[in-house]
Amino acid sequence: MSEDLKVVALGGGHGLYASLSALRRVTSELTAVVTVADDGGSSGRLRRELGVLPPGDLRMALAALCGDDDWGRTWSEVVQHRFRSEGDLHGHAVGNLLIVALWERLGDTVAGLDWVGRLLGAHGRVLPMASVPLDIAAEVELDGRVSTVYGQVACALTPGRVRAISLLPTDPPACPEAVQAVLEADWVVFGPGSWFTSVLPHLKVPELADALLRTRARRLVALNLAPQPGETDGFSPQKHLEVLRQHAPSLTIDVVLADTGVAEDGEELEKAAAELGGRLVMAPVADEDGSPRHDAQRLASVLDEIFREKR
């Protein structure tokens, strides 16, 4: 295994959960840098009521880093547990409340996340990509007309095709620890995940984007197994890479990882990877049940081989 390699994974939500579930099996030097633009559900409510970073994606990343022993499995389930009631607690996740409580108690976002990580026995560190809550502004094309929608939920659910995203505020302060982790990394992993709301936002935080360009780390893109309804309907795997290039023209990628069952046109995908400066690796990384989910052990094995230059 590649235990001594420092790996930084970028993203949010279920995509980052899949990535971290695999990467924690590969390296003991793992840092998740998580988007902080969620404005829906429990996270949105806490964000609006208390003025904090939305904790949901941070909570999911911590849950993904829990071990496979009884302690890890139990705490992973507890922090993901949502209350069901007719009252104000309905829909809130236990982990969201725990994280916010530590933020209020300690007055330090990163310290609070580190405390939760120690409690859970997390196999890695979780950091926000920015020090303030963010909003996503998306350019959406529908019936030949382009309009702008605001907010992560609206971006994900709006009819039409998302063309580009930007962040509000436009020059948010990056989390210093996240910037440092990127600069010290051996590998940086983008995706899988919601392309416009979880992966690309990292490239719109100026200090973080600069670190991603300056780092000596090699960069890997793990492609999604299926287009995401509302965000990337009709996108081919290579279209995801084209959009990445549009949002970060100076960014080069070393490896593009795609599932063998997803890439219908391997030649075109290989060409798109080459245009980003990288090579294409195709391997079976999807769940055997046929669902569009990554299998943690399969993905871990392939990533380990790539990191050790065996594939």
Side-chain angles (χ1 to χ4, degrees):
M1 303 296 276
S2 314
E3 289 190 4
D4 58 336
L5 291 179
K6 294 181 179 179
V7 180
V8 174
L10 309 178
H14 294 284
L16 183 59
Y17 186 96
S19 176
L20 296 175
S21 297
L23 287 167
R24 68 174 171 82
R25 292 169 161 86
V26 175
T27 178
S28 59
E29 297 288 335
L30 176 58
T31 302
V33 177
V34 185
T35 183
V36 286
D38 193 2
D39 58 350
S42 172
S43 286
R45 290 158 62 192
L46 290 168
R47 171 180 176 171
R48 289 186 293 272
E49 184 173 341
L50 301 174
V52 295
L53 294 177
D57 285 353
L58 298 161
R59 179 201 80 243
M60 285 192 68
L62 285 162
L65 292 175
C66 287
D68 295 320
D69 57 359
D70 285 343
W71 182 274
R73 286 193 298 269
T74 299
W75 275 111
S76 179
E77 292 171 2
V78 168
V79 297
Q80 295 283 62
H81 176 77
R82 290 186 185 273
F83 294 105
R84 294 287 176 259
S85 73
E86 299 298 323
D88 292 339
L89 272 178
H90 179 73
H92 273 307
V94 171
N96 288 357
L97 302 177
L98 177 62
I99 289 168
V100 173
L102 278 162
W103 286 345
E104 291 194 346
R105 177 70 180 82
L106 300 173
D108 186 312
T109 299
V110 171
L113 292 168
D114 286 343
W115 269 88
V116 179
R118 287 197 293 273
L119 173 65
L120 272 55
H123 295 253
R125 195 181 193 194
V126 173
L127 300 169
M129 72 175 183
S131 302
V132 298
L134 303 176
D135 284 303
I136 292 175
E139 293 181 14
V140 180
E141 182 178 356
L142 180 63
D143 298 330
R145 294 184 178 182
V146 178
S147 59
T148 303
V149 299
Y150 297 93
Q152 180 170 311
V153 173
C155 177
L157 299 179
T158 186
R161 172 169 289 190
V162 179
R163 294 178 24 166
I165 60 106
S166 57
L167 295 179
L168 299 172
T170 55
D171 190 12
C175 171
E177 291 86 351
V179 170
Q180 193 64 30
V182 168
L183 292 175
E184 294 176 355
D186 296 301
W187 280 88
V188 174
V189 177
F190 297 85
S194 304
W195 219 240
F196 287 101
T197 55
S198 292
V199 178
L200 297 180
H202 293 76
L203 301 169
K204 294 299 181 180
V205 178
E207 293 169 287
L208 186 57
D210 179 64
L212 288 166
L213 291 176
R214 291 194 294 119
T215 182
R216 295 181 180 179
R218 285 173 283 182
R219 307 172 188 89
L220 180 145
V221 172
L223 288 172
N224 292 338
L225 299 174
Q228 179 158 357
E231 273 198 37
T232 55
D233 281 320
F235 273 34
S236 64
Q238 51 267 30
K239 179 64 175 178
H240 286 74
L241 298 181
E242 292 169 11
V243 170
L244 176 64
R245 189 180 182 192
Q246 290 166 8
H247 281 76
S250 301
L251 185 72
T252 57
I253 300 297
D254 295 275
V255 177
V256 173
L257 174 59
D259 181 71
T260 49
V262 172
E264 296 180 0
D265 193 333
E267 191 172 315
E268 284 299 311
L269 185 53
E270 192 169 7
K271 180 180 177 183
E275 288 176 352
L276 285 168
R279 62 186 180 89
L280 175 65
V281 173
M282 296 181 66
V285 292
D287 198 304
E288 289 183 335
D289 65 7
S291 63
R293 294 180 302 183
H294 286 84
D295 178 272
Q297 192 57 59
R298 282 180 160 190
L299 182 58
S301 296
V302 174
L303 288 171
D304 183 53
E305 289 180 358
I306 291 172
F307 293 165
R308 293 188 296 117
E309 300 182 348
K310 301 294 185 181
R311 182 187 287 261

